[in-house]
Structures are given as C-alpha cells and as structure tokens.
Amino acid sequence: MLGNFTYCNPTKLYFGRGAIENLNAELPKYGKNVVLVYGGGSIKKNGIYDEAVKLLRAHGKNVAEIAGVMPNPTVGKLYEGMQIARAHKAEFLLAVGGGSVCDYTKALAVSVHCEGDPWEKYYLNGEEPSCKVLPVGCVLTMVGTGSEMNAGAVITNPETKLKIGHVFTDEAVMPRFAVLDPAYTLTLPHYQMVAGIYDIFSHICEQYFSGEDDNTSDYLAEGLMRSLLHSSRIADKDMQNYEARSNIMWTATWALNTLISRGKATDWMVHMLGQAAGAYTDATHGMTLAAVSLPYYRRILPYGLQKFVRFAVNVWGVDPAGKTERQTAEEGLSAMERWMRGLGLVMRLSELGATEDMVEGMADSTLVLDGGYHVLSRDEIVGIFKESL
Ligand code: NZQ
Ligand code: ZN
C-alpha cells in the first residue's frame, strides 16, 4: 500500500433481528420535524412501515412523508421532495427502503437548503454542499448498494438521459446511523436479491481491479468476494436462509463503505457503462452491471493480466499449474460467468430494453474514468455495448 489517505466513517450501524428498536436511542437526538421517505409500497406490505411509524409516534415526532421514490430516483422526484421537506421545516430525514430511497434521501439532505439547482450544482458541476445538510438515518430493506454507509447518491435525469452518482466528500452527507435487519430483506423477490448480490460483487471488483502495489485492501476484497460467492449460492437455493442473507447484508456494507478503496485508484468503468445503460432503459441497477461486465473485463484483461490471474486463483480457485497466465485469467472470468448464469442474472442489455439504436447515445452518456487498467476509447465503449446487447 503506497498511497496516503484519510479514513473516517461516521455512520453508526445497528445490525441484526429487531435492530429497528434502536430508533429509540437515535430519534431523541434529532428535531421534531421528521420526513419519512420510502419507495413504492413494499414497506407497507411487509409491515416495516408500521414499525417505523410506531416508533416515530412514540417519540412525539411531527412526521411528513415522501412516498413513491422509484428505483433509479429522478431529479423531478427530488424537486418534489424538496418542496415537501421545506414546507415541513424538516430537521431530520428517515429513509426506509433500498439504495434508491437511501440515495434519494441523501440527495434531499443536501438540497433542502440549497439556494441554486441541486441537479446543476451537485450532479452536473460535482460541487460539494455549501448549505446546511440535514441529518439522515436509514432503515435498509434491500441489500446491494452500500448506500447505508457511504456518501453516494445517484440521481437520474430522464430528459437528458444522464444517470449520475455523486459521492460527496463531506462526511455530513453520510447517514448518521443505519438499521440493518437481515430479516427485512427476506421479502425481496429473487430478481432483486440476485441483482443486489451482483451489485455487491461489482463494487468489490471496481476497487480490486486497479493498481499493481501490494495492498491490504485487495486481500480484504478477496475475502469479501469469497464470502459473497459462498452465501450467494446458499441464498439462491434457499432465499429464507437467514445466515446467508445476513452475511450478504454485511458484505454489501463493507463492499462500499470506503474501506477497501483506501490507497487504491479504483476503476468504476462497469458502473459508468451500467449507469449509461440505466439512463436509457431504467433497468434494475445490478442487472445493467451484469450485462456489461464480461465484455468489459474480457477487453481489459490483457492490460491488467497479473490481477486477473490473482483473481482467478484466489477468488475462483483456478489451478494455474500447466497454464499460461492468459489461460488462467480467462478461466477465472469463465468461472465468474458460470456463477452469474447460475444465479439467473441478466447477461444481455437487450433483455433490459436496450436496442442497437441506443448504442451511440449510451456511449455519449458514459463517463470515461482513468483509475483502472485501461482507459477506454469511444470505439471500445461502443464495442462493449454492442457485445452486451
Ligand atoms: O419501491 P419499493 O416498493 O420499496 O420496492 C423496491 C424496489 O422496487 C423493492 N424492495 C426494496 N426492499 C424490499 C423490496 N421489495 C420487497 N421487500 C423488500 N424488503 O426493490 C426494488 C429495488 O429497490 P432499489 O432501492 O431501487 O434497489 P437498490 O438497493 O439496488 O438501489 C438502486 C439504486 O442505488 C444506486 C443505483 O444506481 C440505483 O439508483 N446506487 C447507489 C450507490 C451508492 N449510494 O453508493 C452505489 C450503487 O452502485 C448504485 O449505483
Ligand atoms: Zn452499484
């Protein structure tokens, strides 16, 4: 590990069955005017809404609601929420949902007191907040993004076909606390569960496939990937397996809570490609990543060969004896492909609604980053999208 860095993660986690009861310790710390933010209604069906509301009432909170935060939350929904939070004189925002609800709530936290247009300020210009940031708490119901313990907030502008993630550097944007009850994730449909599992795996890969130094983060990443593969195989067959689901939940948090990126350049090109596809299709985030990953990794493999060999051996158990480095590396990606297909991930963008005529536009929407093993040209981006269709 050669780089210098700062590490601080102020989010307090409450993990395990019944963890929501810890709202009793957290709610008194914040003002009376609370905005409860949630998605399209899953929390009403599975009873989590009732539990949260009961605790908010018990603490005498004056609660307004922002309901209907959609997967891949839009800038229009953000503007709507700003009006509700301003009218309510919000002092605390409680997100109850998945990554979309948590992301949206963090975006709202920096927008309620923002004087200009938050889309322009935070997303187009990448600025940090210069206004008061409202405190956020999260009760997580869907596992994958790591949003519960990071400062990321992805917002989509469907008109300009841009899906942009801003990872704020201001620690005030990170949730003050997060409630992680694995039992809350047991009502997720299989499709969402596996999309979340792949999102976790991709987050780890995005940080792992960069740099050539000997870095503790890479050993941590390999351990997280092995744990995830193990638990994912159990959960795929037995979705109600609490042990597997709880390990997946914990892995998701560590995959993207800033720890394993320390001292690393990090890649993130799978996410840039996936987000561009998401802006055009509004598809489930983890599935967009699954569809573009293998065409991307097969293309960059020659540039990061040593790391792909290490990945094959340490994560997938490929025996390198008698093989060239290239063969070992490719076997690793083949093993990854078998695992992905076994889980039932969507391996083609066309199955998510992408069409040939969208390719040029998706390429235009793809932000090109330079932290990985190879900086993609526009032709390569177009090529990857075509191979992913
Ligand atoms: O809206 P409801 O009715 O709640 O249904 C949701 C939604 O349809 C459902 N769901 C959630 N919990 C459930 C449940 N259904 C049954 N039982 C439960 N317990 O699942 C669907 C998907 O939820 P969503 O929050 O959209 O999924 P996810 O957690 O994958 O979040 C995706 C968003 O996070 C962003 C993505 O781009 C996308 O916008 N990301 C955020 C990141 C971050 N903050 O660091 C990083 C990620 O790479 C990602 O980009
Ligand atoms: Zn992701």
Side-chain angles (χ1 to χ4, degrees):
M1 185 183 286
L2 303 174
N4 295 7
F5 59 84
T6 302
Y7 180 72
C8 174
N9 194 318
T11 305
K12 184 167 186 171
L13 299 179
Y14 295 104
F15 191 94
R17 279 189 203 276
I20 199 166
E21 289 301 323
N22 291 292
L23 286 182
N24 285 319
E26 290 295 334
L27 291 176
K29 298 179 188 170
Y30 304 99
K32 216 175 158 52
N33 295 337
V34 176
V35 177
L36 173 63
V37 186
Y38 56 96
S42 69
I43 66 163
K44 289 206 167 162
K45 285 190 207 125
N46 58 23
I48 301 171
Y49 173 87
D50 291 337
E51 288 185 54
V53 166
K54 197 173 115 196
L55 288 160
L56 287 164
R57 286 214 187 107
H59 287 273
K61 301 295 183 184
N62 174 24
V63 181
E65 293 190 7
I66 298 173
V69 175
M70 61 293 275
N72 311 319
T74 62
V75 65
K77 187 72 185 173
L78 178 62
Y79 296 148
E80 182 193 314
M82 283 160 64
Q83 287 186 355
I84 295 171
R86 283 174 180 170
H88 192 62
K89 297 194 170 32
E91 295 167 285
F92 176 64
L93 308 176
L94 184 65
V96 184
S100 293
V101 172
C102 296
D103 275 21
Y104 173 87
T105 308
K106 284 183 266 179
L108 187 62
V110 295
S111 300
V112 174
H113 295 288
C114 177
E115 281 177 7
D117 174 13
W119 172 253
E120 204 177 304
K121 181 177 170 72
Y122 302 125
Y123 292 92
L124 295 181
N125 300 339
E127 291 174 29
E128 287 295 306
S130 45
C131 61
K132 185 177 161 194
V133 178
L134 289 177
V136 169
C138 294
V139 176
L140 195 67
T141 67
M142 152 90 197
V143 168
T145 63
S147 186
E148 65 276 12
M149 204 183 190
N150 69 37
V154 185
I155 295 292
T156 299
N157 187 328
E159 276 158 32
T160 57
K161 298 262 188 277
L162 287 174
K163 178 173 182 178
I164 305 179
H166 187 149
V167 182
F168 291 92
T169 51
D170 189 339
E171 283 147 23
V173 184
M174 294 174 97
R176 300 297 169 94
F177 67 88
V179 169
L180 305 180
D181 184 340
Y184 282 3
T185 69
L186 297 177
T187 54
L188 275 169
H190 184 267
Y191 187 89
Q192 291 297 341
M193 180 188 78
V194 295
I197 288 170
Y198 191 71
D199 193 20
I200 303 167
F201 192 78
S202 177
H203 294 159
I204 305 171
C205 287
E206 299 275 31
Q207 297 164 93
Y208 183 73
F209 287 114
S210 67
E212 278 153 18
D213 52 324
D214 183 31
N215 192 318
T216 303
S217 292
D218 290 332
Y219 298 84
L220 293 170
E222 286 165 357
L224 290 172
M225 286 193 267
R226 288 168 60 180
S227 169
L228 182 65
L229 296 181
H230 175 74
S231 299
S232 69
R233 290 181 174 120
I234 298 170
D236 179 38
K237 293 195 176 58
D238 175 13
M239 283 192 63
Q240 299 304 306
N241 188 304
Y242 181 87
E243 187 177 33
R245 301 296 292 274
S246 61
N247 281 321
I248 293 169
M249 190 172 219
W250 192 222
T251 304
T253 303
W254 285 95
L256 197 51
N257 70 355
T258 71
L259 176 76
I260 64 165
S261 63
R262 294 308 89 179
K264 294 197 55 88
T266 73
D267 183 357
W268 292 106
M269 272 318 295
V270 167
H271 272 66
M272 294 307 105
L273 295 159
Q275 281 175 205
Y280 273 76
T281 59
D282 196 26
T284 298
H285 171 67
M287 295 307 188
T288 62
L289 305 177
V292 300
S293 284
L294 287 164
Y296 173 69
Y297 285 129
R298 289 192 167 121
R299 194 170 283 255
I300 66 156
L301 180 143
Y303 304 95
L305 187 60
Q306 294 305 319
K307 198 54 156 295
F308 281 95
V309 169
R310 178 174 164 173
F311 177 66
V313 174
N314 292 355
V315 179
W316 298 100
V318 175
D319 179 0
K323 291 170 196 148
T324 63
E325 288 186 327
R326 179 89 189 211
Q327 283 168 336
T328 304
E330 282 171 0
E331 270 192 37
L333 290 183
S334 299
M336 176 171 156
E337 181 171 356
R338 282 194 296 279
W339 169 69
M340 292 171 75
R341 291 191 186 281
L343 287 182
L345 291 164
V346 177
M347 306 296 279
R348 305 232 141 261
L349 284 178
S350 51
E351 287 174 44
L352 299 171
T355 49
E356 183 92 39
D357 60 303
M358 290 179 187
V359 167
E360 291 293 330
M362 292 195 299
D364 288 341
S365 291
T366 304
L367 201 63
V368 181
L369 303 176
D370 60 4
Y373 291 121
H374 176 62
V375 180
L376 294 179
S377 67
R378 193 196 151 84
D379 282 354
E380 287 175 309
I381 293 173
V382 168
I384 291 168
F385 280 132
K386 285 189 174 163
E387 282 168 40
S388 306
L389 273 180

